[in-house]
Amino acid sequence: MRRRQARTALASLALAALTAATATACAFPLQDLGPLPPRYSGPPLPADTVVSEMTSVLAAEGITVEREPSGVLGRCWERLSGRHAPETVEAALKAAVARARSEHGWQTGPDTAGERLTLTKGNWTVMAGFAAEVPAGGQAPVIVSLTCVDGGDTTTAPTEPSAPSLAPAPAPAST
């Protein structure tokens, strides 16, 4: 019985030492390194500006899109959708992305490892794609999703009315 207690005590002591060593070893990576760098540079871009740029770039390549109403309050998210001839949709979309980079200063966005093309500018990321399989005689759907990092003043959602003032009413004038 005493051997079992001795082994348990020794195992507990070893576990405590291991825990202390692990905590000491992990303390270095958890140090405060200061504030994170900004996620984008420059002033936030308004949603209307971004939608206008993307619509004109796509139209210059023959892709007509319409802005869908954004029903998401509190987030800046826009969506453009349209249709294009399936034989040329891929080339037209790639040309539009190249035009956005060269004429409007958009940068290549993160790689999505798929058939989507991505762009970034300021606080916005644009993902554009099309349907690979289209029924015979149909048009290829084109979807462009625009998402911003910080809502700020870029949202198109209505603002809430201001709260009523809680200041006391002025005292009546005495004559």
Side-chain angles (χ1 to χ4, degrees):
M1 185 72 165
R2 286 188 175 209
R3 283 187 181 170
R4 182 179 286 173
Q5 288 176 346
R7 285 183 188 163
T8 304
L10 186 58
S12 296
L13 186 59
L15 184 59
L18 181 62
T19 303
T22 303
T24 305
C26 291
F28 179 72
L30 297 177
Q31 69 180 348
D32 183 14
L33 300 175
L36 292 172
R39 293 185 276 182
Y40 63 92
S41 61
L45 298 171
D48 291 337
T49 301
V50 174
V51 168
S52 175
E53 282 184 10
M54 292 312 299
T55 302
S56 69
V57 164
L58 292 165
E61 298 301 329
I63 303 172
T64 304
V65 292
E66 292 183 12
R67 184 179 191 173
E68 294 181 8
S70 178
V72 182
L73 295 177
R75 292 196 59 201
C76 50
W77 178 80
E78 298 289 335
R79 182 172 160 160
L80 305 174
S81 64
R83 297 193 172 273
H84 191 71
E87 305 83 30
T88 59
V89 67
E90 184 175 5
L93 201 53
K94 286 181 179 180
V97 166
R99 183 182 295 266
R101 284 194 298 251
S102 66
E103 293 180 9
H104 296 282
W106 287 84
Q107 302 295 317
T108 301
D111 184 18
T112 58
E115 293 187 20
R116 292 201 169 259
L117 302 168
T118 59
L119 294 169
T120 60
K121 182 177 180 182
N123 57 324
W124 287 88
T125 299
V126 174
M127 292 181 66
F130 59 93
E133 296 182 21
V134 180
Q139 294 281 317
V142 175
I143 305 291
V144 180
S145 297
L146 304 100
T147 309
C148 74
V149 174
D150 291 322
D153 60 353
T154 62
T155 61
T156 55
T159 59
E160 293 183 25
S162 60
S165 174
L166 299 176
S174 48
T175 353

